[in-house]
Amino acid sequence: MTIEKPVGRSAAEDELKVGAPKVWAAGVPGVTHSMIPALTGMGVGRAAKGLLAMNQKDGFDCMSCAWEDPTERKTFEFCENGAKALTWEATPLTVPTSFWSEHSIDDLLTKDEYWLGMQGRLVEPVYKPAGKSHYQPIGWDDAFALIAKKLNSLDSPDEAAFYTSGRTPNETAFVYQLFARAFGTNNLPDCSNMCHESTGTAMSEVIGVGKATIVYSDFEKADLIIIMGQNPGTNHPRMLTVLEEAKRAGAEIVAVNPLLEAGLIRYKNPQKVGGIIGRGTGIADQYLQIRLGGDMALMQAISKRVLDAEDANPGTVLDHDFLEKHCEGLAEFREHLADLDEEAVLTATGLTSAEIDELAARYVKADKVIITWAMGLTQHKRAVPTIKEIINLLLLRGNMGKPGAGASPIRGHSNVQGDRTMGIWEKMPPAFLDALQREFGFDPPREEGVDAVNGIRAMRDGRIKVWFALGGNLVGAISDTGVSEDAIQQLELSVQVSTKLNRSHAVIGEEALILPTMGRSEIDIQADGEQFVSVEDTVAAVHASYPKLTPVAPNLLSEVSIVTRLARAVLDDKYGIDWAGFERNYDTIRDRIARVVPGFDDYNRKVRQDDGFMLPHGPRDSRTFPTPTGKAIITVNDLEALTVPPGRLLLQTVRSHDQFNTTTYSLNDRYRGVKKGRHVVFVNADDLSELGFADGDIVDIHSEFADGVDRVAKRFRIISYPTAKGCAAAYFPEANVLVPLDATAEGSNTPASKSVVVRFERAG
């Protein structure tokens, strides 16, 4: 059986241009590549009003990432990708009614993500009836009635699932999960299932909280910052300013990444003279180009060196007081690492002992250490134990619960963490469900629902018949493209709430609806006046987001309006929940959140403070750990190195610089030297020579898994690139076809998209 990626190309192969990768990020190009599209895409007035309000205390929260805001805001408190995200969302270009008669579903299926997104904002609900080939306009009331009829006809509420994108604000997320549970299901998959689920799983098990243990100001207090499996220059560029500030305060920085990334080499701050005409700031003092999947071995090797240093100089390396008072499992951990095989470590990491020794020496020397990571660590089979090993290393020297130290997972979506806090999870703990029952007078379902991967399996098997997606692009984000698309097309009804077109509007059920919604930047007027929403960033800080721009069309509804009107249509007055009141005034939602969600007491007052408020966090605030024993758990994890047969490489999926998750802003990747194309694969020059290929060759990429299915991404241009030997990289969603649905992280069920065994074959 062969599965191929079905998406068409945006540009002919002869249009693709490849140059040398950059060795610094931002600077003047960062300004021009953000401002010119903003001015041309939105107009001067709309662009200025939007950009100057982004991430300000009286403005709206950027939709492009969950990076935390500083207490002292700058005038231009946005990055290149933030400006692009606003331009993408706030464009006055809209999809005309004629579009739907001109483009059939089959035609949309031939288009790629870039083309679909470039058609403009969605401004009217549309419906594809069963047996028809086109969407057609439909009124809002008729759309809600249609969904209600279908949902209420199901044999079980569990035949429906309610997916969520991490851009959904707290207020919408709360009423959305309330509706799903009042309807009778815990089928609440979300985008976190595909990114940081491994982080939450690991950290919850060992320290009792699945969130970062630092705050924004800790970076400038750190002695050492270890950046693993992430590319700040593209994915959260505002982090570069914080790293620059940390370097100037004396911190050392170590980058651990198979690919050389410009933002981790040097940063030219465009808001400073030195960043415009000078060399900028060097970021990484040490750059470890680790083999894919080798991070767990590296962490164990560093921990063993720390323990050896303690044995050589007893009482001088480990934080014995912290370990005795707050941790358990040290003796077992010591015993386990005593037999760590150095050769196995070197094979797994692709590093030398000298490189590992250097990092270990930096760690032992530093009093305050932050380890920060992203999806480069979370999307492996052994992602959960890898993150547990990060926590092990931090605990050994008490690098948790003190200024300048801690664990710092960096979330990608702007409110993915807040959505989970609000109850968007298929397995919320009993305490949350009990609080929901006390507040609203009904007993929520207690059975575990489906996550994203299990949702696809349930669609494939006919167990889920209705899929309602509040934002996002599941089709583009999920693994095993062919299998997943076939599963989604088995649905009886698919519903997508969106601002712009993406592939999830073309890969649909027998019936399908698109419901257009306002963006976060657009003013939301309800019966009781102008409304605002709130979000939680990656360090558990909650703050208000005040929209500033006029909506691009009068017929758009806010996400809150869509959810509450849907709830009224489906549930009527069941349980006496005042859905209409929620829509009139979002303060009423926050009042209910305050009585259900821990840490949100007095929500309406606290969220109106200039800087919002921090949620309580035991490990960070008081070195208290809400685990079963009340202590942080140092864990024992068996090292399993990935085996790669001769003639094969390990491939990871990555995103380009002009990309936000599956949204493609352009066909360029400036920092990696790619223009006008995305069907490329980055390969180490030595590997190319050994495999008999050369830079510029066109190949088909085949993945190899035990299920025997031949998954292939066809006609990719090889680019010789400074990546770790034995490793390769290609963009998602184009390479998602290579990852089997069942290839997931142990314990979190996150797609293992960062360690795919592949072979190349010359394209015909």
Side-chain angles (χ1 to χ4, degrees):
M1 178 181 179
T2 298
I3 300 177
E4 299 179 7
K5 176 67 179 174
V7 180
R9 284 168 179 73
S10 302
E13 289 170 2
D14 58 4
E15 293 179 348
L16 176 68
K17 299 184 185 302
V18 179
K22 306 297 183 186
V23 293
W24 53 268
V28 174
V31 176
T32 58
H33 283 83
S34 59
M35 296 306 298
I36 292 176
L39 294 172
T40 57
M42 290 187 286
V44 175
R46 191 171 176 86
K49 189 172 185 179
L51 292 173
L52 292 176
M54 186 180 288
N55 297 320
Q56 301 300 327
K57 295 179 181 181
D58 61 346
F60 57 90
D61 191 75
C62 179
M63 59 290 293
S64 70
C65 77
W67 184 251
E68 55 265 40
D69 293 318
T71 301
E72 297 299 324
R73 314 291 170 97
K74 305 175 182 66
T75 301
F76 303 106
E77 194 59 60
F78 59 86
C79 65
E80 177 182 344
N81 274 14
K84 291 174 183 174
L86 176 62
T87 303
W88 193 254
E89 173 181 285
T91 174
L93 176 67
T94 60
V95 176
T97 299
S98 60
F99 177 90
W100 307 111
S101 60
E102 294 168 356
H103 296 279
S104 66
I105 300 301
D106 286 344
D107 182 47
L108 295 178
L109 284 168
T110 68
K111 310 301 184 184
D112 64 11
E113 295 288 359
Y114 178 62
W115 186 94
L116 291 167
M118 288 298 290
Q119 302 314 300
R121 283 286 297 277
L122 298 162
V123 294
E124 60 184 341
V126 291
Y127 168 54
K128 191 211 78 71
K132 300 295 184 181
S133 60
H134 290 70
Y135 283 107
Q136 59 193 41
I138 187 175
W140 279 107
D141 290 343
D142 290 340
F144 291 130
L146 189 153
I147 301 169
K149 181 179 180 181
K150 176 61 70 173
L151 288 175
N152 287 326
S153 72
L154 297 175
D155 292 335
S156 164
D158 288 330
E159 291 184 335
F162 300 91
Y163 177 79
T164 318
S165 161
R167 288 174 60 170
T168 301
N170 287 341
E171 292 75 9
T172 311
F174 185 80
V175 295
Y176 190 57
Q177 65 82 29
L178 176 63
F179 160 66
R181 293 189 165 102
F183 177 65
T185 186
N186 279 319
N187 286 342
L188 283 158
D190 73 336
C191 60
S192 186
N193 298 147
M194 294 176 284
C195 54
H196 264 291
E197 198 70 58
S198 299
T199 293
T201 300
M203 292 180 64
S204 294
E205 290 179 9
V206 297
I207 66 170
V209 179
K211 303 178 181 181
T213 70
I214 65 162
V215 296
Y216 182 94
S217 60
D218 282 324
F219 281 96
E220 64 182 6
K221 300 172 185 174
D223 300 317
L224 174 65
I225 301 169
I226 304 174
I227 304 171
M228 304 183 70
Q230 61 175 299
N231 176 16
T234 285
N235 298 339
H236 28 269
R238 286 199 296 158
M239 183 181 184
L240 295 178
T241 299
V242 177
L243 296 178
E244 178 184 55
E245 293 169 350
K247 287 297 295 285
R248 292 183 176 178
E252 294 183 346
I253 295 177
V254 176
V256 182
N257 195 311
L259 291 164
L260 276 180
E261 302 287 15
L264 292 172
I265 299 172
R266 182 168 295 277
Y267 171 51
K268 293 188 177 184
N269 189 335
Q271 299 194 53
K272 294 184 177 180
V273 174
I276 300 296
I277 61 174
R279 285 180 44 80
T281 302
I283 297 298
D285 297 286
Q286 183 183 6
Y287 204 125
L288 299 180
Q289 287 193 259
I290 195 167
R291 180 177 180 266
L292 284 165
D295 305 277
M296 179 178 171
L298 176 63
M299 291 294 97
Q300 288 190 340
I302 300 299
S303 289
K304 186 177 190 307
R305 284 161 168 77
V306 170
L307 294 171
D308 290 346
E310 169 67 21
D311 291 341
N313 296 279
T316 65
V317 178
L318 299 185
D319 188 331
H320 290 279
D321 183 65
F322 174 81
L323 289 167
E324 182 177 348
K325 290 180 180 178
H326 302 293
C327 302
E328 61 179 330
L330 177 61
E332 295 84 354
F333 184 64
R334 270 182 169 277
E335 181 180 357
H336 178 68
L337 288 191
D339 297 324
L340 184 65
D341 185 337
E342 180 76 359
E343 286 304 314
V345 167
L346 300 183
T347 299
T349 62
L351 303 173
T352 65
S353 292
E355 289 175 307
I356 299 173
D357 289 342
E358 181 181 343
L359 176 53
R362 292 180 190 275
Y363 185 79
V364 170
K365 178 182 70 173
D367 179 55
K368 297 165 290 186
V369 179
I370 291 173
I371 302 180
T372 177
W373 69 92
M375 290 165 62
L377 264 63
T378 64
Q379 293 185 322
H380 293 274
K381 180 183 177 182
R382 299 283 287 164
V384 172
T386 295
I387 293 162
K388 288 181 178 179
E389 291 292 354
I390 291 175
I391 303 302
N392 287 344
L393 179 58
L394 289 171
L395 294 176
L396 289 179
R397 288 180 46 77
N399 281 303
M400 191 166 295
K402 68 179 181 182
S408 175
I410 303 297
R411 314 283 177 171
H413 271 82
S414 57
N415 196 43
V416 65
Q417 188 162 284
D419 285 356
R420 182 60 55 86
T421 303
M422 292 295 110
I424 300 292
W425 196 23
E426 69 277 1
K427 46 187 175 184
M428 286 299 288
F432 180 91
L433 300 177
D434 291 343
L436 209 62
Q437 181 178 13
R438 289 192 300 270
E439 181 63 23
F440 292 100
F442 72 93
D443 188 11
R446 304 286 169 154
E447 301 80 12
E448 184 176 313
V450 298
D451 60 15
V453 168
N454 284 331
I456 296 293
R457 292 170 178 154
M459 288 186 240
R460 177 195 61 194
D461 299 339
R463 291 180 286 113
I464 285 181
K465 299 176 180 178
V466 176
W467 187 272
F468 190 104
L470 184 60
N473 178 15
L474 178 69
V475 173
I478 197 69
S479 53
D480 217 341
T481 307
V483 169
S484 296
E485 293 194 354
D486 286 345
I488 291 167
Q489 290 168 333
Q490 304 303 311
L491 291 167
E492 294 180 5
L493 173 66
S494 56
V495 184
Q496 191 81 18
V497 179
S498 305
T499 56
K500 301 186 84 172
L501 282 169
N502 59 51
R503 189 160 176 83
S504 290
H505 302 108
V507 180
I508 55 177
E510 184 180 17
E511 296 180 87
L513 280 160
I514 302 174
L515 306 181
T517 188
M518 291 191 291
R520 187 180 294 171
S521 60
E522 293 173 315
I523 297 170
D524 181 4
I525 304 293
Q526 300 292 351
D528 284 1
E530 187 172 330
Q531 304 298 312
F532 72 91
V533 293
S534 55
V535 297
E536 177 187 345
D537 65 28
T538 197
V539 296
V542 180
H543 55 273
S545 178
Y546 299 96
K548 297 297 183 183
L549 302 180
T550 303
V552 296
N555 194 40
L556 294 174
L557 295 181
S558 71
E559 289 184 355
V560 169
S561 291
I562 290 172
V563 173
T564 54
R565 293 188 191 189
L566 174 64
R568 290 162 65 188
V570 174
L571 302 175
D572 197 13
D573 62 352
K574 189 177 183 180
Y575 305 129
I577 299 172
D578 188 7
W579 301 105
F582 289 161
E583 182 181 11
R584 284 195 305 270
N585 192 325
Y586 299 175
D587 278 354
T588 63
I589 302 174
R590 287 184 283 270
D591 284 340
R592 309 303 281 271
I593 292 171
R595 296 195 288 268
V596 172
V597 184
F600 284 82
D601 53 290
D602 203 13
Y603 192 4
N604 270 309
R605 181 190 64 81
K606 291 194 297 188
V607 79
R608 286 175 164 86
Q609 298 171 157
D610 273 355
D611 292 306
F613 62 99
M614 295 293 299
L615 291 175
H617 190 302
R620 178 196 67 205
D621 301 337
S622 57
R623 286 185 160 179
T624 55
F625 298 91
T627 62
T629 62
K631 289 189 174 185
I633 304 169
I634 300 174
T635 54
V636 169
N637 305 287
D638 292 329
L639 180 61
E640 295 180 11
L642 286 166
T643 300
V644 181
R648 274 60 174 170
L649 299 174
L650 274 177
L651 180 137
Q652 64 172 325
T653 64
V654 298
R655 78 188 204 190
S656 75
H657 185 62
D658 271 3
Q659 181 178 349
F660 170 69
N661 295 325
T662 61
T663 299
T664 306
Y665 299 135
S666 83
L667 301 177
N668 303 330
D669 189 349
R670 187 171 81 253
Y671 292 154
R672 297 192 182 107
V674 179
K675 293 183 179 180
K676 296 186 178 181
R678 292 178 53 84
H679 285 71
V680 299
V681 57
F682 302 94
V683 188
N684 180 284
D686 291 339
D687 288 324
L688 286 179
S689 177
E690 292 174 10
L691 294 173
F693 293 100
D695 182 85
D697 284 351
I698 305 298
V699 297
D700 297 335
I701 309 173
H702 296 254
S703 64
E704 298 186 347
F705 287 87
D707 62 5
V709 176
D710 182 27
R711 295 173 177 85
V712 56
K714 298 184 79 66
R715 301 198 64 81
F716 277 59
R717 196 267 204 203
I718 290 178
I719 295 177
S720 179
Y721 196 85
T723 187
K725 194 171 187 311
C727 300
Y731 299 131
F732 68 84
E734 288 81 0
N736 286 356
V737 68
L738 298 171
V739 187
L741 191 66
D742 294 331
T744 60
E746 299 168 353
S748 69
N749 211 30
T750 296
S753 302
K754 295 292 189 286
S755 47
V756 184
V757 177
V758 299
R759 73 179 188 277
F760 295 159
E761 295 185 2
R762 296 189 185 278

